[in-house]
């Protein structure tokens, strides 16, 4: 299938702990197409973040195969994985995860400098900040000098700076009031309508209902995969 952007085959993830192994993902197989909007739901501790971290190559599975953009990641070196992450994947977290000592502008520019080994002189960073409603003055603020909603908008701009194919979001509205959460979701949905693959972990049934498809994880297992009626 040519329009498949992510494929998992029998993925398992074990966290070895002194108190005993934790089987966080148990034999998950899944295929996601370019441009899909997928919600991942399930109880706390069921393995949602673990699954998203595998999809984002922030972590490698214990067994099974994961293909991103048709390429199997299991045999890749650390530097190949880092490169793949930089060009293919944007990550948005519940707690924003901005670098506290950098300004909003520098936070958005940071993945760009990692990819291109130079600062942005094309105006791309400013354009993205503008798109998410962060003006030039706010762009000079450190994350601690911004509201939660502003920080998440900076994080969205950062996730887009290298024009990734896939946006992975772990509870992106979890730390926002409901009105700001709606604004952030509308931004993410607009990006999806322009072709980005959107994968969102959420506790919020209202967000899951907006997705094309809902995947349910329980005790590390994929227990349901349902196409939503729009
Ligand atoms: N780094 C780690 N080391 C050991 N165990 C871990 C680690 N990360 C997660 N786990 C365990 O793996 C299981 C799945 O955790 P995960 O964070 O994926 O759950 P989750 O579905 O995202 O939960 P939540 O909704 O609370 O965020 C849990 O039992 C958790 O304790
Ligand atoms: Mg989680």
């Amino acid at each position: 299938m040519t329009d498949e952007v992510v494929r998992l085959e029998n993925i398992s993830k074990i966290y070895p702990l002194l108190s005993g192994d934790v089987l966080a993902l148990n034999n998950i197989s899944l295929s996601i197409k370019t441009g899909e909007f997928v919600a991942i739901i399930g109880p706390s501790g069921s393995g949602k973040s673990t699954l998203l971290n595998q999809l984002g190559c922030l972590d490698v599975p214990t067994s099974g195969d994961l293909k991103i953009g048709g390429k199997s990641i299991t045999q890749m070196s650390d530097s190949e994985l880092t490169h793949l992450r930089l060009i293919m994947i944007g990550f948005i977290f519940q707690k924003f995860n901005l670098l506290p000592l950098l300004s909003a502008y520098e936070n958005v520019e940071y993945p760009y400098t990692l990819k291109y080994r130079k600062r942005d002189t094309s105006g791309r960073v400013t354009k993205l900040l503008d798109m998410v409603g962060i003006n030039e003055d706010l762009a000079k603020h450190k994350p601690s000098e911004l509201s939660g909603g502003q920080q998440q908008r900076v994080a969205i701009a950062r996730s887009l700076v290298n024009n990734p194919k896939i946006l992975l979001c772990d509870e992106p509205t979890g730390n926002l009031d409901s009105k700001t959460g709606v604004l952030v979701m509308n931004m993410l949905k607009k990006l999806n309508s322009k072709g980005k693959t959107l994968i969102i972990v959420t506790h919020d049934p209202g967000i899951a209902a907006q997705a094309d498809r809902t995947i349910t994880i329980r005790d590390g297992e994929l227990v349901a995969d349902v196409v939503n009626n729009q």
Side-chain angles (χ1 to χ4, degrees):
M1 213 193 303
T2 52
D3 61 351
E4 180 181 73
V5 69
V6 175
R7 183 177 194 83
L8 286 79
E9 271 170 32
N10 308 110
I11 290 285
S12 293
K13 178 70 189 178
I14 294 169
Y15 291 112
L17 295 182
L18 284 176
S19 49
D21 288 351
V22 178
L23 180 58
L25 294 177
N26 188 0
N27 212 24
I28 293 200
S29 297
L30 181 65
S31 166
I32 295 173
K33 289 192 202 124
T34 298
E36 260 192 302
F37 172 8
V38 179
I40 300 174
I41 61 171
S44 180
S46 58
K48 304 180 297 295
S49 295
T50 304
L51 176 61
L52 208 68
N53 290 344
Q54 315 300 307
L55 296 178
C57 309
L58 293 177
D59 196 1
V60 284
T62 309
S63 61
D65 190 32
L66 168 60
K67 284 196 180 77
I68 306 279
K71 287 191 188 128
S72 175
I73 67 121
T74 38
Q75 303 301 321
M76 284 187 189
S77 65
D78 277 355
S79 63
E80 285 173 316
L81 266 183
T82 303
H83 181 71
L84 180 80
R85 212 162 47 219
L86 274 175
I87 62 168
M88 287 292 287
I89 292 156
F91 231 112
I92 296 160
F93 301 89
Q94 177 171 358
K95 290 184 182 153
F96 324 131
N97 289 19
L98 298 172
L99 294 166
L101 300 179
L102 300 185
S103 69
Y105 181 95
E106 290 162 338
N107 263 283
V108 176
E109 191 186 38
Y110 185 63
Y112 181 98
T113 60
L114 290 180
K115 182 176 175 188
Y116 295 107
R117 304 266 154 217
K118 65 181 180 76
R119 300 206 56 174
D120 172 39
T121 51
S122 67
R124 178 165 179 77
V125 172
T126 305
K127 202 171 136 215
L128 283 169
L129 281 164
D130 192 52
M131 188 190 89
V132 298
I134 300 291
N135 66 30
E136 233 175 288
D137 277 339
L138 278 176
K140 293 177 188 150
H141 288 217
K142 299 261 177 4
S144 62
E145 300 156 353
L146 295 168
S147 71
Q150 288 167 341
Q151 288 184 64
Q152 197 58 309
R153 284 186 277 141
V154 172
I156 291 174
R158 176 183 60 178
S159 77
L160 295 171
V161 75
N162 289 332
N163 197 22
K165 296 230 175 339
I166 311 167
L167 284 180
L168 301 175
C169 315
D170 200 347
E171 298 277 0
T173 61
N175 272 319
L176 304 175
D177 64 78
S178 55
K179 200 172 145 210
T180 314
V182 169
L183 288 176
V184 163
M185 269 316 297
N186 285 343
M187 241 170 234
L188 294 173
K189 281 197 291 182
K190 194 166 165 201
L191 290 163
N192 173 247
S193 72
K194 287 183 179 164
K196 299 263 185 239
T197 306
L198 183 61
I199 305 176
I200 296 187
V201 165
T202 184
H203 277 106
D204 184 340
I207 290 178
Q210 298 171 43
D212 302 325
R213 182 176 164 196
T214 304
I215 288 167
T216 308
I217 307 287
R218 193 163 299 143
D219 296 329
E221 290 183 34
L222 195 159
V223 293
D225 183 349
V226 179
V227 174
N228 297 339
N229 295 319
Q230 295 295 329

